[in-house]
């Protein structure tokens, strides 16, 4: 956990995470143009740790997670779980930040609407609480404004497992008085959240659930690994199908959260963009899926070493690429904005097509303010590389837009002031501090 610079957060929202420091600054001032050299420790994955924390609701026994990222989303979910009656114990050691959760008692009526509204992943509480307690009532989840982000697949799957679900004035009321039962479920799209939600529910449901067209993101594999360590019976039968034998009495588990592949891809871009050299510990190129070869084509060289990878700019320099976001192993939508920041300074033209979320180009206007040449037509952003970006005052609109603007600020001439830091804090454990350790000039300060 990085402690040199405090994170922005509302202290009243994060009482279950004592490692948060009170808010001391809500903007970053980045003086760009420095080449970055050093070692950047990749944290545990944001999108793995959240479902892993929720999995503790399925068992009365202790679940210990190591390598937990000290991010605002973790703090918010920890607070939600604590208010549901889950005991939490934090510690810090050689495995990073660790969290032990004890859900020997769950009080399903006590879901905090304001907290749920802050994060999309809170919808995962629905499947877990319903399976454990037979009823759950939850406000519709919030999260980044990057598209419609329906939860119809989640609800249809839970209904197929026997749940009665009603939606009223922004509230989801679900009950399964006789318990959930196994079902044959076909996801219309390999949704990450729906796969996780239905997996969590199916583990406690009576009988066999077959889940077709599942998401194959590595974070799902991490969740399956932890659930199996708790005694769940989950078989990957191939072709995007999971078979779950439910109704097993789960034990506790000790699990290490997988490395954050999005942070890894983002910082690899930072090394190439600034023409530096950054050692990325605990990483492997395979985690990037199709983004690995495309980043290589764009001029991001990744050299394997014993502890992970070294990222630097390829000798031929940065070059434009065409990419379309897809479910894993396709190009991750969460890397689209950071990679677009890289492409703003690449030789030639790039076509960046966002096929997962409808509104994930809100970083484009901000990059343009810094001198980027980008035109959006429908779901494609056409990027023509420029020789230099100039620092500007910009605002982050979601977690990945924030990371993209940090990258642009590192490469730009002059000073970039980044507002909207809650977005950066939601998804990253001390990104600014870790970049400073590699030579970046970044100061966190209070907006004036
Ligand atoms: N969708 C539906 N109905 C559903 C579920 C999904 O229409 O019931 C649609 C969504 O609207 C979207 C698409 O399916 O257009 C994909 O959504 P998915 O369910 O896969 O995404 P998610 O579970 O909401 C997770 C990550 C996102 C990441 C996506 C895709 C977490 C907490 N969030 O979201 O991460 O972009 O998968 O990989 O795991 C981020 O970290 O910045 C972030 C947004």
């Amino acid at each position: 956990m990085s402690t040199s610079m405090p994170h922005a957060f509302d202290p009243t929202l994060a009482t279950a995470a004592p490692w948060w420091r009170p808010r001391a600054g809500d903007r970053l001032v980045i003086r760009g143009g420095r080449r970055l050299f050093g070692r950047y420790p990749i944290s545990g994955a944001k999108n793995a740790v959240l479902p892993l924390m929720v999995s503790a609701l399925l068992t009365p026994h202790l679940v210990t997670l190591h390598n937990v990222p000290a991010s605002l989303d973790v703090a918010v979910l920890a607070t939600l779980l604590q208010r549901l009656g889950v005991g939490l114990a934090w510690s810090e050691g050689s495995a990073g930040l660790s969290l032990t959760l004890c859900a020997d008692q769950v009080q399903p009526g006590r879901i905090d609407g304001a907290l749920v509204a802050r994060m999309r992943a809170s919808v995962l509480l629905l499947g877990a609480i319903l399976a454990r307690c037979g009823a759950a009532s939850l406000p519709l989840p919030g999260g980044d404004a990057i598209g419609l982000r329906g939860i119809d697949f989640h609800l249809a799957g839970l209904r197929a497992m026997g749940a009665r679900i009603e939606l009223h004035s922004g509230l989801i009321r679900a009950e399964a008085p006789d318990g959930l039962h196994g079902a044959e479920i076909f996801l219309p799209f390999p949704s990450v959240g729906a796969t996780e939600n239905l997996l969590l529910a199916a583990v406690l449901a009576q009988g066999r659930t077959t889940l077709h067209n599942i998401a194959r993101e590595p974070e799902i594999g991490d969740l399956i690994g932890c659930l199996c360590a708790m005694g769940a019976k989950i078989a990957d039968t191939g072709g995007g199908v999971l078979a779950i034998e439910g109704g097993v009495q789960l034990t506790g588990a000790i699990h290490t959260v997988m490395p954050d592949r999005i942070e890894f891809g983002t910082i690899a871009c930072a090394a190439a963009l600034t023409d530096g050299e950054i050692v990325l510990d605990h990483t492997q190129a395979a985690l990037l899926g199709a983004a690995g070869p495309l980043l290589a084509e764009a001029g991001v060289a990744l050299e394997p070493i014993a502890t992970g990878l070294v990222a630097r700019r390829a000798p031929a320099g940065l070059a434009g690429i065409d990419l379309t976001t897809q479910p894993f192993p396709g190009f991750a939508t969460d890397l689209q904005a950071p990679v677009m920041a890289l492409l703003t300074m690449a030789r030639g033209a790039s076509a960046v097509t966002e096929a997962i979320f409808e509104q994930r180009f809100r970083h484009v206007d901000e990059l343009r303010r810094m001198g980027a040449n980008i035109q959006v037509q429908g779901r494609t952003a056409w990027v023509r590389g420029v020789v230099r970006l100039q620092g500007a005052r910009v605002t982050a609109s979601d977690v990945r837009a924030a990371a993209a603007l940090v990258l642009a600020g590192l490469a730009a001439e002059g000073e970039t002031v980044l507002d909207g830091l809650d977005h950066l804090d939601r998804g990253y454990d001390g990104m600014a501090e870790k970049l400073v350790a590699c030579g970046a000039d970044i100061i966190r300060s209070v907006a004036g």
Side-chain angles (χ1 to χ4, degrees):
M1 178 177 38
S2 308
T3 50
S4 52
M5 253 193 276
H7 301 259
F9 85 116
D10 175 348
T12 61
L13 284 179
T15 51
W19 36 266
W20 275 106
R21 299 279 181 281
R23 177 186 290 260
D26 50 10
R27 66 178 191 171
L28 289 186
V29 180
I30 306 169
R31 287 189 195 85
R34 290 185 169 212
R35 298 174 69 192
L36 301 186
F37 291 92
R39 184 173 287 271
Y40 184 109
I42 299 295
S43 299
K46 156 188 173 292
N47 288 346
V49 71
L50 303 175
L52 288 169
M53 288 167 70
V54 174
S55 75
L57 281 170
L58 301 179
T59 175
H61 302 285
L62 299 184
V63 173
T64 296
L65 301 175
H66 296 309
N67 197 30
V68 172
S71 66
L72 182 54
D73 269 5
V74 168
V76 169
L77 183 57
T79 308
L80 264 168
L81 288 169
Q82 191 183 56
R83 293 187 190 171
L84 284 164
V86 179
L88 306 174
W90 302 92
S91 61
E92 206 173 351
S94 56
L97 181 64
S98 297
L99 171 61
T100 297
L101 305 103
C102 177
D104 55 350
Q105 292 173 9
V106 181
Q107 295 152 328
R110 303 176 64 181
I111 295 187
D112 186 316
L115 292 183
V116 168
R118 286 183 71 99
M119 64 188 304
R120 166 82 177 175
S122 52
V123 73
L124 300 179
L125 295 169
L126 189 64
I129 296 175
L130 189 58
R132 175 88 188 268
C133 307
S137 171
L138 193 80
L140 281 166
D144 287 329
I146 55 180
L148 295 172
R149 307 194 81 181
I151 54 165
D152 44 337
F153 310 157
H154 304 235
L155 302 186
L158 292 172
R159 284 187 174 117
M161 294 166 83
R164 286 202 300 265
I165 303 178
E166 290 176 13
L167 299 181
H168 273 308
S169 340
L171 202 68
I172 311 166
R173 281 185 200 282
E175 55 176 22
D178 302 323
L180 296 174
H181 56 73
E184 182 104 5
I185 299 170
F186 293 82
L187 291 176
F189 180 86
S191 153
V192 172
T195 302
E196 292 166 346
N197 219 341
L198 299 175
L199 190 52
L200 290 165
V203 163
L204 291 194
Q206 287 302 323
R208 184 186 179 99
T209 296
T210 313
L211 209 47
H212 297 262
N213 198 25
I214 57 154
R216 301 181 212 200
E217 270 65 7
E219 293 76 14
I220 306 267
D222 211 31
L223 176 62
I224 291 174
C226 183
L227 290 171
C228 289
M230 290 159 72
K233 301 213 175 323
I234 304 167
D236 185 340
T237 60
V241 182
L242 287 181
I244 304 126
E245 296 297 340
V248 179
Q249 292 286 328
L250 297 181
T251 62
I254 299 175
H255 182 84
T256 298
V257 181
M258 65 171 281
D260 195 312
R261 65 195 166 98
I262 305 303
E263 183 181 35
F264 152 38
T266 302
I267 301 306
C269 289
L273 195 53
T274 64
D275 199 11
E277 188 173 283
I278 300 183
V279 177
L280 299 160
D281 287 328
H282 318 304
T283 53
Q284 39 175 311
L287 283 177
L288 294 176
L294 274 167
L295 283 180
E297 206 181 312
V300 181
L302 293 174
E303 180 199 340
I305 53 166
T307 57
L309 294 162
V310 181
R312 56 173 81 85
R313 185 183 293 183
L318 304 179
I321 53 169
D322 294 348
L323 70 92
T324 300
T325 62
Q326 297 287 345
F328 195 85
F331 194 102
T333 173
D334 294 343
L335 275 176
Q336 180 256 110
V339 171
M340 192 186 294
L342 175 89
L343 297 175
T344 61
M345 294 189 71
R347 194 177 58 248
S350 301
V352 177
T353 302
E354 174 56 55
I356 304 288
F357 291 110
E358 301 85 356
Q359 293 168 26
R360 217 175 193 184
F361 279 150
R362 292 173 68 191
H363 44 282
V364 166
D365 281 346
E366 304 303 289
L367 290 171
R368 277 199 196 125
R369 290 160 71 88
M370 300 178 70
N373 181 348
I374 311 172
Q375 307 297 326
V376 176
Q377 281 177 320
R379 286 193 153 201
T380 299
W382 299 92
V383 185
R384 282 179 188 76
V386 294
V387 174
R388 62 182 63 83
L389 297 175
Q390 292 98 37
R393 183 150 196 162
V394 290
T395 303
S397 53
D398 70 74
V399 175
R400 309 306 174 186
L405 294 170
V406 169
L407 292 197
L410 291 170
E413 286 178 0
E415 189 174 280
T416 294
V417 179
L418 174 61
D419 289 311
L421 279 201
D422 271 11
H423 293 294
L424 194 70
D425 292 340
R426 278 190 52 204
Y428 299 96
D429 175 358
M431 178 187 267
E433 296 92 318
K434 291 190 280 189
L435 287 169
V436 167
C438 293
D441 184 346
I442 304 178
I443 295 170
R444 187 162 183 142
S445 70
V446 181

